[in-house]
Amino acid sequence: MAREFQVTFDAADPAALSTFWAEVLGYRLPAPPGVEVEEGRDVLAAWEEFLTRAGLPAEEHNSAAALEDPDGAGPRLFFQRVPEPKTAKNRVHLDVRAAPGLAGAERMAALEVECARLVALGARRLERFEPAPPLSNGFIVMADPEGNEFCLD
């Protein structure tokens, strides 16, 4: 039987990094425990209010954030504030499937469209790898706003 798992990101700004990854993956920030968040209301604002009512000091409000797959299929993502900056290449990264079922020029064009969208959200484009069949369909290496590398695949 497969085990359920969570992917954890160390971050300088958990709220901002979780917001970025929510846009990348189509994930959502869950509402605070016992709080109903109306459609269109900012869930981060609901968390701020919840944490203030719970008595958590304001400087601790952005110490963590989490994201969930709205369909319940993908892993939960957890973002925790750490004091040290990222200093080296991450040893684990995500491959974001941005062009499923596509090949060749059509695939790379779809990856370029998604790359441009993510750059507008704060990502950096690092390198493009052309298709090299049969071993590679081509991909684009990117970095999130805090420098964590990932691939558009």
Side-chain angles (χ1 to χ4, degrees):
M1 177 164 87
R3 293 185 185 220
E4 190 174 306
F5 66 95
Q6 168 176 284
V7 178
T8 300
F9 289 75
D10 289 347
D13 185 347
L17 197 57
S18 66
T19 299
F20 171 82
W21 281 103
E23 287 293 325
V24 172
L25 300 173
Y27 271 41
R28 65 173 174 76
L29 182 71
V35 175
E36 189 74 31
V37 178
E38 304 83 34
E39 182 76 29
R41 182 164 179 239
D42 181 9
V43 179
L44 284 174
W47 272 101
E48 284 289 323
E49 294 166 11
F50 175 82
L51 295 171
T52 299
R53 281 194 315 274
L56 190 69
E59 61 273 10
E60 294 300 316
H61 286 196
N62 191 20
S63 62
L67 296 176
E68 297 175 345
D69 177 351
D71 299 325
R76 181 177 189 263
L77 304 182
F78 182 72
F79 301 83
Q80 61 187 1
R81 186 171 57 205
V82 296
E84 69 276 357
K86 182 179 179 306
T87 58
K89 183 179 189 289
N90 43 305
R91 301 281 301 218
V92 174
H93 72 261
L94 303 181
D95 290 335
V96 179
R97 305 287 189 224
L102 300 179
E106 185 180 20
R107 173 187 171 76
M108 297 310 291
L111 295 180
E112 289 292 351
V113 168
E114 183 64 357
C115 178
R117 183 181 83 87
L118 299 183
V119 166
L121 293 171
R124 284 183 299 120
R125 176 196 183 108
L126 301 179
E127 193 171 1
R128 175 177 161 146
F129 290 85
E130 297 300 323
L135 299 177
S136 173
N137 293 323
F139 57 96
I140 299 173
V141 180
M142 313 237 357
D144 74 14
E146 291 200 13
N148 300 301
E149 290 185 19
F150 66 98
C151 292
L152 292 179
D153 182 6

